[in-house]
Amino acid sequence: VVVVVLAVEDIVLEEEAPADQACEAPREESFVEAEICEPQAAAEVEVEVETEDAPPPGETPPAVPPPPASVPPPPASAVEADKGNGVAPAEKAAAPQQQQQQEHRYRRGDYVMVLSKTLGEWLDDGIIILSLKEVGNHDSMNLPAGAIKVQYNEKKTFKWLLPHQVKENVRPSPRPRPPPNLAGELIKETHGWITSWHVRYFELSKGFLSWWKSYEDMSKGKKPTGAIPLLALSLRVEGNFFRFWTGATKGTMFSLGASSTEEANEWARAMMDHSHYVQAMRDHLENKVTEERSTSTRSADSGHHHRHHRGHLEEN
């Protein structure tokens, strides 16, 4: 009997990248992983086939062992006991597997920490972009229910993880979630020889207020005309207009106008929410650095104590 085991390694995918990314190409990981790169031709799938050793020519292959004797049914008392607990025997046997799948259930959009095999460290910028609820074909692979696709490493890398791989490679991330984005046209005060107002397209995203000369410039992927981090935001609303400054504007005040008082208040509230997010993210990163330094110090102290103890024993 020849047993064939298919092992798919280094599957190179050509996948349509998000709007703000280029195509994705593979990196060396134990799972399917890709890195943003320039567009390239469709890649191939390498398949390794492992077989059991075949018998030398002229020899008779070993006989196939007879099928095992039929297993006698469980005693009626055991069946009744399971019925009394409200769990059928088959359901009881499948319960651990179902429980394991539930432990690894992530939803699309969840923030996670990801173990990068290439970098050899945990990266706290991962996000679940796909979580399968049923068996399906994705990226030219047949994947089971519970498999997840995670993006990380500043959106440069993604990989698929099977259900049994999730626990060792993904952890929930404590980093704060950003408020919803807000975008639209506002008028902006411009100072030159004379003060004038111009229509600009603005976008509020992840604690930054960015603007372009027009929506068309933004949609074509052009760099924004300006971008301001909203940390330490001060803001006031005056009718249809609102004025603000931040720690990064160095005392410069920006004046924007909306089409109505309601719209001006909507932008003002959203900007304050994004300012709070930036502060929360800053606190999160500072706490993370403090924890890493504390861990490094404890490891160094432990190593010093071990070397001192070993030297004392050698002297004795």
Side-chain angles (χ1 to χ4, degrees):
V1 176
V2 178
V3 179
V4 180
V5 180
L6 298 181
V8 181
E9 296 185 355
D10 300 332
I11 300 181
V12 182
L13 307 175
E14 184 175 71
E15 167 167 311
E16 183 179 354
D20 58 341
Q21 302 177 24
C23 72
E24 302 179 29
R27 293 181 57 180
E28 295 181 357
E29 288 265 1
S30 57
F31 316 113
V32 180
E33 182 169 304
E35 181 176 340
I36 300 301
C37 68
E38 296 299 325
Q40 61 178 9
E44 297 180 352
V45 177
E46 297 180 358
V47 179
E48 292 186 357
V49 179
E50 299 179 358
T51 62
E52 294 183 351
D53 296 333
E59 291 189 11
T60 304
V64 178
S70 59
V71 179
S77 57
V79 176
E80 292 298 329
D82 285 334
K83 288 182 179 179
N85 293 330
V87 181
E91 294 177 356
K92 190 174 183 180
Q97 182 178 2
Q98 293 175 357
Q99 182 179 2
Q100 182 179 7
Q101 291 180 355
Q102 292 175 358
E103 290 176 354
H104 306 321
R105 179 63 64 187
Y106 287 94
R107 296 180 179 180
R108 181 178 180 179
D110 284 352
Y111 282 10
V112 292
M113 299 174 64
V114 185
L115 177 61
S116 171
K117 301 293 184 179
T118 302
L119 301 177
E121 60 179 312
W122 287 89
L123 302 182
D124 190 13
D125 65 349
I127 183 171
I128 304 298
I129 56 179
L130 276 178
S131 179
L132 303 187
K133 296 182 179 180
E134 56 186 19
V135 177
N137 187 283
H138 299 270
D139 296 334
S140 302
M141 295 180 293
N142 290 322
L143 297 169
I148 62 172
K149 185 177 184 180
V150 59
Q151 188 179 48
Y152 61 104
N153 193 18
E154 299 179 353
K155 296 184 178 180
K156 297 176 183 178
T157 313
F158 78 85
K159 63 182 173 184
W160 278 102
L161 295 172
L162 301 180
H164 69 277
Q165 298 168 330
V166 171
K167 187 175 182 180
E168 296 180 356
N169 293 274
V170 171
R171 300 173 182 170
S173 172
R175 72 185 189 273
R177 294 185 68 90
N181 293 354
L182 182 62
E185 289 185 343
L186 299 169
I187 56 174
K188 178 180 179 295
E189 185 180 32
T190 304
H191 299 278
W193 290 103
I194 59 174
T195 299
S196 57
W197 293 83
H198 299 90
V199 178
R200 296 288 183 260
Y201 184 81
F202 285 82
E203 182 179 72
L204 185 57
S205 176
K206 295 183 178 179
F208 282 82
L209 180 67
S210 307
W211 66 90
W212 294 258
K213 287 186 175 181
S214 64
Y215 171 80
E216 288 72 21
D217 287 351
M218 186 280 298
S219 61
K220 291 178 181 177
K222 292 185 178 181
K223 291 184 178 180
T225 305
I228 301 174
L230 299 181
L231 184 65
L233 171 68
S234 296
L235 181 149
R236 67 172 180 260
V237 180
E238 300 172 353
N240 294 8
F241 299 88
F242 54 99
R243 307 176 189 279
F244 71 94
W245 62 96
T246 73
T249 61
K250 299 179 180 179
T252 301
M253 180 181 291
F254 288 79
S255 298
L256 304 177
S259 60
S260 65
T261 303
E262 291 75 16
E263 186 180 10
N265 286 324
E266 180 185 8
W267 276 93
R269 286 192 297 268
M271 289 174 65
M272 292 303 300
D273 289 343
H274 280 261
S275 178
H276 296 155
Y277 161 75
V278 175
Q279 183 62 55
M281 193 67 183
R282 182 179 183 178
D283 295 342
H284 168 71
L285 294 176
E286 289 179 350
N287 292 336
K288 184 178 178 182
V289 170
T290 301
E291 291 176 0
E292 290 176 351
R293 288 177 178 174
S294 177
T295 302
S296 177
T297 301
R298 288 197 299 270
S299 299
D301 292 343
S302 176
H304 175 75
H305 175 75
H306 177 72
R307 289 191 298 271
H308 177 75
H309 180 66
R310 184 176 61 184
H312 180 71
L313 292 177
E314 290 176 352
E315 290 177 1
N316 293 335

